[in-house]
């Protein structure tokens, strides 16, 4: 399918300014990094948000990527919200210039404790021009209110759908991403570079899918 080479970004505990420099190999999702584009908090509060897991549908993702439904009460007691420094994020451009063109984003828990993600990530494709997060995909499957708990080694996936109408399109090789809390607010952003033969991507419009335990468009 012509998938490009993945670039991994270990999320470092470093303070970042609001401007994300293009071409930087690894920028960090620090707990005091830049605020979300929607005015969200500067840091995702793990203790505060974990308590809201009561009454929500929950999945646990093990090291092999498998998912198991468990009660939200168990999740609230055994995991907190992922805040970044425990995650390793990769990005790959798939189906470049064809129908189904998208960026596949994978987040894996490289820490020693479980943590959870929810909803869909806040994604900004062109921070220097228009640092407004992309909308949620209207045709996405339901379930964005679930808490997906990643055990150490567990992975979750999302996709940024790219639509190029041929006019007023923009191009980039990297994008900014932030985790959302249960209230929908975005935490600090960090930069993800897309490298390889199809590293440069083009779009006129774009939207984002919910986090999922299975790869989207895996065909």
């Amino acid at each position: 399918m012509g998938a490009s080479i993945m670039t991994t970004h270990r999320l470092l505990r470093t303070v970042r300014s609001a401007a994300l420099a293009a071409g930087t190999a690894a920028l960090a999702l620090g707990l005091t990094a830049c605020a979300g584009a929607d005015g969200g908090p500067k840091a995702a509060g793990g203790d505060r948000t974990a308590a809201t897991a009561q009454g929500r549908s929950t999945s646990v993702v093990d090291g092999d990527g498998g998912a198991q439904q468990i009660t939200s009460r168990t999740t609230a007691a055994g995991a907190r919200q992922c805040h970044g420094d425990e995650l390793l994020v990769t990005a790959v451009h798939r189906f470049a210039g064809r129908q189904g063109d998208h960026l596949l984003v994978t987040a894996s828990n490289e820490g020693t404790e479980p943590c959870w993600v929810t909803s869909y990530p806040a994604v900004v494709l062109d921070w220097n021009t228009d640092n407004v997060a992309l909308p949620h995909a209207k045709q996405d499957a339901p379930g964005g209110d679930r808490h997906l708990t990643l055990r150490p080694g567990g992975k979750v996936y999302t996709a940024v759908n790219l639509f190029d109408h041929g006019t007023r399109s923009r191009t980039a090789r990297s994008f900014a991403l932030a985790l959302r809390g249960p209230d929908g607010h975005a935490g600090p952003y960090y930069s993800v570079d897309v490298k390889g033969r199809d590293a440069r991507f083009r779009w006129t419009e774009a939207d984002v899918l919910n986090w999922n335990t299975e790869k989207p468009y895996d065909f």
Side-chain angles (χ1 to χ4, degrees):
M1 299 182 184
S4 62
I5 300 173
M6 278 192 272
T7 301
T8 59
H9 298 268
R10 294 189 179 277
L11 309 186
L12 309 176
R13 290 181 178 270
T14 53
V15 178
R16 304 302 304 172
S17 63
L20 296 177
T24 302
L27 295 182
L29 175 59
L31 295 183
T32 56
C34 56
D38 58 358
K42 287 182 178 295
D47 293 339
R48 175 180 61 82
T49 53
T52 66
Q54 300 290 344
R56 292 179 180 269
S57 175
T58 308
S59 294
V60 170
V61 187
D62 59 30
D64 296 324
Q68 177 184 5
Q69 292 290 328
I70 64 171
T71 64
S72 57
R73 184 179 302 274
T74 302
T75 300
R80 56 168 174 74
Q81 184 179 1
C82 300
H83 52 64
D85 60 342
E86 68 280 88
L87 294 182
L88 182 146
V89 174
T90 63
V92 60
H93 188 191
R94 303 182 73 226
F95 307 121
R98 294 179 284 165
Q99 185 175 2
D101 192 349
H102 68 279
L103 303 174
L104 174 65
V105 180
T106 304
S108 59
N109 184 359
E110 298 292 299
T112 59
E113 301 293 336
C115 66
W116 54 262
V117 297
T118 190
S119 187
Y120 63 101
V123 174
V124 176
L125 295 183
D126 190 351
W127 186 274
N128 293 324
T129 302
D130 183 14
N131 60 346
V132 176
L134 297 175
H136 180 223
K138 294 181 179 179
Q139 298 183 355
D140 197 3
D145 60 341
R146 292 185 303 161
H147 288 179
L148 302 182
T149 300
L150 286 74
R151 292 185 177 131
K155 297 179 180 180
V156 288
Y157 309 91
T158 184
V160 179
N161 299 312
L162 303 171
F163 307 100
D164 183 8
H165 303 315
T167 57
R168 302 185 66 180
S169 58
R170 289 178 282 179
T171 62
R173 291 180 177 269
S174 64
F175 59 93
L177 182 147
L179 301 175
R180 292 186 186 274
D183 58 2
H185 286 176
Y189 279 86
Y190 61 91
S191 177
V192 179
D193 292 337
V194 183
K195 292 186 177 180
R197 185 182 62 184
D198 297 323
R200 183 178 294 276
F201 55 92
R202 180 186 299 270
W203 79 99
T204 305
E205 297 181 47
D207 55 31
V208 187
L209 298 179
N210 289 323
W211 290 112
N212 205 307
T213 57
E214 297 181 358
K215 292 181 181 180
Y217 313 121
D218 192 18
F219 45 73

PDB file of all heavy atoms in Angstrom, residues 14-42:
ATOM      1  N   THR A  14       9.830  18.179  28.873  1.00  0.00           N
ATOM      2  CA  THR A  14      10.474  19.454  28.603  1.00  0.00           C
ATOM      3  C   THR A  14       9.413  20.518  28.395  1.00  0.00           C
ATOM      4  O   THR A  14       8.333  20.247  27.914  1.00  0.00           O
ATOM      5  CB  THR A  14      11.351  19.374  27.330  1.00  0.00           C
ATOM      6  OG1 THR A  14      10.555  18.862  26.274  1.00  0.00           O
ATOM      7  CG2 THR A  14      12.556  18.504  27.544  1.00  0.00           C
ATOM      8  N   VAL A  15       9.757  21.742  28.787  1.00  0.00           N
ATOM      9  CA  VAL A  15       8.821  22.844  28.633  1.00  0.00           C
ATOM     10  C   VAL A  15       8.903  23.366  27.211  1.00  0.00           C
ATOM     11  O   VAL A  15       9.971  23.609  26.705  1.00  0.00           O
ATOM     12  CB  VAL A  15       9.156  23.971  29.625  1.00  0.00           C
ATOM     13  CG1 VAL A  15       8.208  25.151  29.443  1.00  0.00           C
ATOM     14  CG2 VAL A  15       9.081  23.441  31.049  1.00  0.00           C
ATOM     15  N   ARG A  16       7.731  23.503  26.568  1.00  0.00           N
ATOM     16  CA  ARG A  16       7.707  23.982  25.191  1.00  0.00           C
ATOM     17  C   ARG A  16       6.945  25.297  25.112  1.00  0.00           C
ATOM     18  O   ARG A  16       6.010  25.526  25.852  1.00  0.00           O
ATOM     19  CB  ARG A  16       7.000  22.967  24.269  1.00  0.00           C
ATOM     20  CG  ARG A  16       7.617  21.567  24.313  1.00  0.00           C
ATOM     21  CD  ARG A  16       9.078  21.564  23.942  1.00  0.00           C
ATOM     22  NE  ARG A  16       9.324  22.154  22.638  1.00  0.00           N
ATOM     23  CZ  ARG A  16      10.542  22.395  22.183  1.00  0.00           C
ATOM     24  NH1 ARG A  16      11.606  22.139  22.900  1.00  0.00           N
ATOM     25  NH2 ARG A  16      10.671  22.918  20.996  1.00  0.00           N
ATOM     26  N   SER A  17       7.327  26.153  24.185  1.00  0.00           N
ATOM     27  CA  SER A  17       6.595  27.387  23.942  1.00  0.00           C
ATOM     28  C   SER A  17       5.416  27.101  23.031  1.00  0.00           C
ATOM     29  O   SER A  17       5.291  26.020  22.486  1.00  0.00           O
ATOM     30  CB  SER A  17       7.512  28.420  23.288  1.00  0.00           C
ATOM     31  OG  SER A  17       7.928  27.938  22.038  1.00  0.00           O
ATOM     32  N   ALA A  18       4.550  28.073  22.850  1.00  0.00           N
ATOM     33  CA  ALA A  18       3.338  27.861  22.060  1.00  0.00           C
ATOM     34  C   ALA A  18       3.660  27.647  20.587  1.00  0.00           C
ATOM     35  O   ALA A  18       2.930  26.976  19.882  1.00  0.00           O
ATOM     36  CB  ALA A  18       2.384  29.040  22.223  1.00  0.00           C
ATOM     37  N   ALA A  19       4.742  28.214  20.080  1.00  0.00           N
ATOM     38  CA  ALA A  19       5.093  28.049  18.677  1.00  0.00           C
ATOM     39  C   ALA A  19       5.859  26.758  18.500  1.00  0.00           C
ATOM     40  O   ALA A  19       6.892  26.558  19.109  1.00  0.00           O
ATOM     41  CB  ALA A  19       5.957  29.225  18.215  1.00  0.00           C
ATOM     42  N   LEU A  20       5.353  25.873  17.617  1.00  0.00           N
ATOM     43  CA  LEU A  20       6.014  24.604  17.354  1.00  0.00           C
ATOM     44  C   LEU A  20       6.876  24.772  16.114  1.00  0.00           C
ATOM     45  O   LEU A  20       6.379  25.044  15.028  1.00  0.00           O
ATOM     46  CB  LEU A  20       4.961  23.509  17.126  1.00  0.00           C
ATOM     47  CG  LEU A  20       4.090  23.203  18.341  1.00  0.00           C
ATOM     48  CD1 LEU A  20       3.038  22.172  17.979  1.00  0.00           C
ATOM     49  CD2 LEU A  20       4.945  22.706  19.484  1.00  0.00           C
ATOM     50  N   ALA A  21       8.194  24.602  16.238  1.00  0.00           N
ATOM     51  CA  ALA A  21       9.097  24.833  15.124  1.00  0.00           C
ATOM     52  C   ALA A  21       9.010  23.686  14.134  1.00  0.00           C
ATOM     53  O   ALA A  21       9.082  22.530  14.500  1.00  0.00           O
ATOM     54  CB  ALA A  21      10.533  24.970  15.638  1.00  0.00           C
ATOM     55  N   ALA A  22       8.857  23.993  12.867  1.00  0.00           N
ATOM     56  CA  ALA A  22       8.786  22.982  11.827  1.00  0.00           C
ATOM     57  C   ALA A  22      10.132  22.294  11.693  1.00  0.00           C
ATOM     58  O   ALA A  22      11.176  22.918  11.769  1.00  0.00           O
ATOM     59  CB  ALA A  22       8.389  23.637  10.503  1.00  0.00           C
ATOM     60  N   GLY A  23      10.074  20.978  11.434  1.00  0.00           N
ATOM     61  CA  GLY A  23      11.287  20.208  11.205  1.00  0.00           C
ATOM     62  C   GLY A  23      11.952  19.720  12.460  1.00  0.00           C
ATOM     63  O   GLY A  23      12.977  19.063  12.383  1.00  0.00           O
ATOM     64  N   THR A  24      11.455  20.027  13.638  1.00  0.00           N
ATOM     65  CA  THR A  24      12.061  19.536  14.865  1.00  0.00           C
ATOM     66  C   THR A  24      11.850  18.038  14.970  1.00  0.00           C
ATOM     67  O   THR A  24      10.750  17.567  14.801  1.00  0.00           O
ATOM     68  CB  THR A  24      11.433  20.229  16.089  1.00  0.00           C
ATOM     69  OG1 THR A  24      11.620  21.640  15.940  1.00  0.00           O
ATOM     70  CG2 THR A  24      12.100  19.771  17.369  1.00  0.00           C
ATOM     71  N   ALA A  25      12.896  17.299  15.287  1.00  0.00           N
ATOM     72  CA  ALA A  25      12.798  15.839  15.276  1.00  0.00           C
ATOM     73  C   ALA A  25      11.943  15.317  16.407  1.00  0.00           C
ATOM     74  O   ALA A  25      11.249  14.331  16.237  1.00  0.00           O
ATOM     75  CB  ALA A  25      14.194  15.228  15.352  1.00  0.00           C
ATOM     76  N   ALA A  26      12.001  15.923  17.580  1.00  0.00           N
ATOM     77  CA  ALA A  26      11.209  15.418  18.703  1.00  0.00           C
ATOM     78  C   ALA A  26      10.875  16.562  19.632  1.00  0.00           C
ATOM     79  O   ALA A  26      11.745  17.164  20.210  1.00  0.00           O
ATOM     80  CB  ALA A  26      11.987  14.337  19.472  1.00  0.00           C
ATOM     81  N   LEU A  27       9.579  16.861  19.738  1.00  0.00           N
ATOM     82  CA  LEU A  27       9.124  17.861  20.682  1.00  0.00           C
ATOM     83  C   LEU A  27       8.292  17.168  21.738  1.00  0.00           C
ATOM     84  O   LEU A  27       7.735  16.119  21.506  1.00  0.00           O
ATOM     85  CB  LEU A  27       8.295  18.943  19.974  1.00  0.00           C
ATOM     86  CG  LEU A  27       9.071  19.789  18.960  1.00  0.00           C
ATOM     87  CD1 LEU A  27       8.163  20.852  18.379  1.00  0.00           C
ATOM     88  CD2 LEU A  27      10.265  20.451  19.621  1.00  0.00           C
ATOM     89  N   ALA A  28       8.193  17.791  22.910  1.00  0.00           N
ATOM     90  CA  ALA A  28       7.689  17.043  24.052  1.00  0.00           C
ATOM     91  C   ALA A  28       6.314  17.467  24.465  1.00  0.00           C
ATOM     92  O   ALA A  28       5.914  18.591  24.295  1.00  0.00           O
ATOM     93  CB  ALA A  28       8.629  17.230  25.242  1.00  0.00           C
ATOM     94  N   LEU A  29       5.600  16.495  25.031  1.00  0.00           N
ATOM     95  CA  LEU A  29       4.352  16.775  25.709  1.00  0.00           C
ATOM     96  C   LEU A  29       4.682  16.894  27.185  1.00  0.00           C
ATOM     97  O   LEU A  29       4.505  15.985  27.964  1.00  0.00           O
ATOM     98  CB  LEU A  29       3.353  15.644  25.465  1.00  0.00           C
ATOM     99  CG  LEU A  29       2.018  15.721  26.206  1.00  0.00           C
ATOM    100  CD1 LEU A  29       1.295  17.004  25.832  1.00  0.00           C
ATOM    101  CD2 LEU A  29       1.164  14.533  25.893  1.00  0.00           C
ATOM    102  N   GLY A  30       5.254  18.056  27.617  1.00  0.00           N
ATOM    103  CA  GLY A  30       5.603  18.261  29.008  1.00  0.00           C
ATOM    104  C   GLY A  30       4.381  18.663  29.791  1.00  0.00           C
ATOM    105  O   GLY A  30       3.409  19.145  29.244  1.00  0.00           O
ATOM    106  N   LEU A  31       4.431  18.478  31.099  1.00  0.00           N
ATOM    107  CA  LEU A  31       3.279  18.811  31.908  1.00  0.00           C
ATOM    108  C   LEU A  31       3.045  20.304  31.972  1.00  0.00           C
ATOM    109  O   LEU A  31       1.979  20.754  32.376  1.00  0.00           O
ATOM    110  CB  LEU A  31       3.458  18.249  33.321  1.00  0.00           C
ATOM    111  CG  LEU A  31       3.502  16.726  33.387  1.00  0.00           C
ATOM    112  CD1 LEU A  31       3.599  16.276  34.831  1.00  0.00           C
ATOM    113  CD2 LEU A  31       2.296  16.112  32.711  1.00  0.00           C
ATOM    114  N   THR A  32       4.019  21.119  31.572  1.00  0.00           N
ATOM    115  CA  THR A  32       3.832  22.563  31.534  1.00  0.00           C
ATOM    116  C   THR A  32       4.011  23.085  30.121  1.00  0.00           C
ATOM    117  O   THR A  32       4.436  24.211  29.910  1.00  0.00           O
ATOM    118  CB  THR A  32       4.827  23.264  32.467  1.00  0.00           C
ATOM    119  OG1 THR A  32       6.162  22.891  32.111  1.00  0.00           O
ATOM    120  CG2 THR A  32       4.577  22.873  33.910  1.00  0.00           C
ATOM    121  N   ALA A  33       3.687  22.276  29.137  1.00  0.00           N
ATOM    122  CA  ALA A  33       3.845  22.678  27.743  1.00  0.00           C
ATOM    123  C   ALA A  33       2.748  23.653  27.356  1.00  0.00           C
ATOM    124  O   ALA A  33       1.912  24.033  28.157  1.00  0.00           O
ATOM    125  CB  ALA A  33       3.815  21.453  26.835  1.00  0.00           C
ATOM    126  N   CYS A  34       2.724  24.029  26.053  1.00  0.00           N
ATOM    127  CA  CYS A  34       1.781  25.043  25.595  1.00  0.00           C
ATOM    128  C   CYS A  34       0.350  24.592  25.795  1.00  0.00           C
ATOM    129  O   CYS A  34       0.043  23.420  25.717  1.00  0.00           O
ATOM    130  CB  CYS A  34       2.039  25.357  24.121  1.00  0.00           C
ATOM    131  SG  CYS A  34       1.969  23.940  23.029  1.00  0.00           S
ATOM    132  N   ALA A  35      -0.558  25.548  26.015  1.00  0.00           N
ATOM    133  CA  ALA A  35      -1.952  25.237  26.271  1.00  0.00           C
ATOM    134  C   ALA A  35      -2.617  24.764  25.001  1.00  0.00           C
ATOM    135  O   ALA A  35      -2.147  25.005  23.901  1.00  0.00           O
ATOM    136  CB  ALA A  35      -2.675  26.473  26.811  1.00  0.00           C
ATOM    137  N   GLY A  36      -3.768  24.076  25.123  1.00  0.00           N
ATOM    138  CA  GLY A  36      -4.505  23.584  23.983  1.00  0.00           C
ATOM    139  C   GLY A  36      -5.083  24.717  23.158  1.00  0.00           C
ATOM    140  O   GLY A  36      -5.327  25.810  23.642  1.00  0.00           O
ATOM    141  N   ALA A  37      -5.326  24.410  21.860  1.00  0.00           N
ATOM    142  CA  ALA A  37      -5.846  25.427  20.969  1.00  0.00           C
ATOM    143  C   ALA A  37      -7.246  25.852  21.358  1.00  0.00           C
ATOM    144  O   ALA A  37      -7.700  26.928  21.001  1.00  0.00           O
ATOM    145  CB  ALA A  37      -5.841  24.896  19.521  1.00  0.00           C
ATOM    146  N   ASP A  38      -7.990  24.991  22.080  1.00  0.00           N
ATOM    147  CA  ASP A  38      -9.342  25.342  22.463  1.00  0.00           C
ATOM    148  C   ASP A  38      -9.386  25.957  23.852  1.00  0.00           C
ATOM    149  O   ASP A  38     -10.438  26.054  24.464  1.00  0.00           O
ATOM    150  CB  ASP A  38     -10.252  24.106  22.408  1.00  0.00           C
ATOM    151  CG  ASP A  38      -9.761  22.980  23.305  1.00  0.00           C
ATOM    152  OD1 ASP A  38      -8.694  23.147  23.938  1.00  0.00           O
ATOM    153  OD2 ASP A  38     -10.442  21.955  23.389  1.00  0.00           O
ATOM    154  N   GLY A  39      -8.227  26.371  24.370  1.00  0.00           N
ATOM    155  CA  GLY A  39      -8.187  27.008  25.673  1.00  0.00           C
ATOM    156  C   GLY A  39      -8.188  26.043  26.826  1.00  0.00           C
ATOM    157  O   GLY A  39      -8.503  26.420  27.951  1.00  0.00           O
ATOM    158  N   GLY A  40      -7.844  24.803  26.576  1.00  0.00           N
ATOM    159  CA  GLY A  40      -7.840  23.793  27.614  1.00  0.00           C
ATOM    160  C   GLY A  40      -6.710  23.982  28.599  1.00  0.00           C
ATOM    161  O   GLY A  40      -5.884  24.885  28.463  1.00  0.00           O
ATOM    162  N   PRO A  41      -6.654  23.119  29.617  1.00  0.00           N
ATOM    163  CA  PRO A  41      -5.642  23.258  30.664  1.00  0.00           C
ATOM    164  C   PRO A  41      -4.244  22.993  30.143  1.00  0.00           C
ATOM    165  O   PRO A  41      -4.056  22.322  29.143  1.00  0.00           O
ATOM    166  CB  PRO A  41      -6.063  22.190  31.674  1.00  0.00           C
ATOM    167  CG  PRO A  41      -6.787  21.181  30.863  1.00  0.00           C
ATOM    168  CD  PRO A  41      -7.504  21.960  29.790  1.00  0.00           C
ATOM    169  N   LYS A  42      -3.224  23.530  30.835  1.00  0.00           N
ATOM    170  CA  LYS A  42      -1.841  23.327  30.434  1.00  0.00           C
ATOM    171  C   LYS A  42      -1.364  21.914  30.716  1.00  0.00           C
ATOM    172  O   LYS A  42      -0.396  21.469  30.145  1.00  0.00           O
ATOM    173  CB  LYS A  42      -0.937  24.331  31.148  1.00  0.00           C
ATOM    174  CG  LYS A  42      -1.059  25.756  30.621  1.00  0.00           C
ATOM    175  CD  LYS A  42      -0.094  26.668  31.340  1.00  0.00           C
ATOM    176  CE  LYS A  42      -0.162  28.075  30.800  1.00  0.00           C
ATOM    177  NZ  LYS A  42       0.286  28.153  29.403  1.00  0.00           N
TER     178      LYS A  42
END
